Amino acid sequence: MSIINNINKAFDHRIRLGIMSILMVNDYADFNMLKELLGATDGNIASHTKSLEKAEYIKVEKQFIGKKPNTRYYATKLGKLEFKKHINALEKLIGKQ
Amino acid sequence: MSIINNINKAFDHRIRLGIMSILMVNDYADFNMLKELLGATDGNIASHTKSLEKAEYIKVEKQFIGKKPNTRYYATKLGKLEFKKHINALEKLIGKQ
DNA sequence: TAAAGTACTTTGAAAAACAAAGTAAGTTAA
DNA sequence: TTAACTTACTTTGTTTTTCAAAGTACTTTA
């Protein structure tokens, strides 16, 4: 077992790390909130949320607010659990410095 | 300025994070040490060390130990500084959880 | 002296990241 | 009222990165 064994590949990118961090402290976030908070492009947010969705770490809800489409992202129970594990692994790795 | 602004892209991969962590606590590490500690393949170690070297975050020294070639990796002053910044940014981001 | 091992490096395919362009609806302004 | 613009994404295709298998240049062992 290597020292990076519990680093989860799914979170191993700054944008996905950012998305998860946001969804851990906020109940949900919508597309534009993620986009602004992370300073990423539309395509970027779309692909990273898609990969987290595929892993079932976040879920997506589409609705209309007034007449505007709105996409909300939530961390799933699994996502929260795995992210905590990831953080612990990160802290273990970098905590020594 | 986004919340992931100080996350350094150069360290934004578990293997490179691992390499730097190792080189922060150990004065140096050689190829096989990195390989074993990280459980990565040869090609993997080679390419990730190369990218860190290109960024001048680590330096490489090649020598012979007895008759065997041996490659040692050291973190540079810049590398240590930038890695600390990266860790601080990471902790700021995930510390809220 | 042939086969196996060591310590890397090179290569090329596969996957991931990215931004520009596209889509579909709503809004505003002339 | 219709053309131009905005919003909220999605799709597309190129570029970049990741990866492991194969290659290289020795050395060691049988």
Side-chain angles (χ1 to χ4, degrees):
Chain A
M1 220 245 280
S2 90
I3 60 167
I4 53 168
N5 232 269
N6 292 310
I7 305 281
N8 190 332
K9 218 185 147 185
F11 303 132
D12 200 9
H13 185 280
R14 67 201 184 289
I15 294 183
R16 292 191 299 270
L17 200 70
I19 292 171
M20 289 308 295
S21 294
I22 291 166
L23 296 182
M24 291 295 278
V25 292
N26 300 281
D27 195 40
Y28 64 86
D30 64 23
F31 192 90
N32 281 318
M33 186 176 167
L34 293 181
K35 195 179 136 184
E36 275 164 39
L37 285 173
L38 299 171
T41 58
D42 294 10
N44 238 249
I45 296 296
S47 66
H48 288 295
T49 51
K50 191 169 284 176
S51 80
L52 290 170
E53 198 194 346
K54 204 173 156 192
E56 295 183 43
Y57 291 162
I58 66 174
K59 69 179 159 61
V60 181
E61 262 173 33
K62 281 161 192 291
Q63 52 168 349
F64 278 84
I65 293 186
K67 292 180 177 176
K68 288 184 191 175
N70 181 265
T71 304
R72 280 185 179 174
Y73 301 94
Y74 301 78
T76 62
K77 214 165 180 175
L78 177 67
K80 286 182 184 179
L81 184 71
E82 291 301 319
F83 191 63
K84 276 180 188 161
K85 281 192 203 167
H86 180 74
I87 288 175
N88 286 336
L90 268 184
E91 279 173 351
K92 220 167 176 175
L93 183 64
I94 65 179
K96 297 165 201 156
Q97 305 339 307
Chain B
M1 219 245 280
S2 88
I3 59 166
I4 54 169
N5 232 268
N6 291 310
I7 305 280
N8 190 332
K9 218 184 146 184
F11 303 132
D12 200 10
H13 185 280
R14 67 201 183 290
I15 293 183
R16 292 192 298 271
L17 200 71
I19 291 172
M20 289 307 295
S21 294
I22 291 167
L23 296 181
M24 290 295 279
V25 293
N26 300 281
D27 196 40
Y28 64 86
D30 64 21
F31 192 91
N32 282 320
M33 185 176 168
L34 292 181
K35 194 179 137 184
E36 274 164 40
L37 285 173
L38 299 171
T41 59
D42 295 11
N44 237 251
I45 295 295
S47 65
H48 287 295
T49 51
K50 189 169 285 176
S51 79
L52 289 170
E53 197 194 346
K54 205 173 157 192
E56 294 183 43
Y57 292 162
I58 66 174
K59 70 179 159 60
V60 181
E61 262 173 32
K62 280 161 192 290
Q63 53 168 349
F64 277 84
I65 294 186
K67 291 179 175 175
K68 288 183 191 174
N70 181 264
T71 305
R72 280 183 179 177
Y73 301 94
Y74 301 79
T76 62
K77 214 166 181 176
L78 178 67
K80 285 183 183 178
L81 184 69
E82 291 300 319
F83 191 63
K84 276 181 189 162
K85 281 192 203 166
H86 180 74
I87 288 176
N88 286 337
L90 268 186
E91 278 174 351
K92 219 167 177 176
L93 183 64
I94 65 180
K96 296 165 202 157
Q97 308 336 309

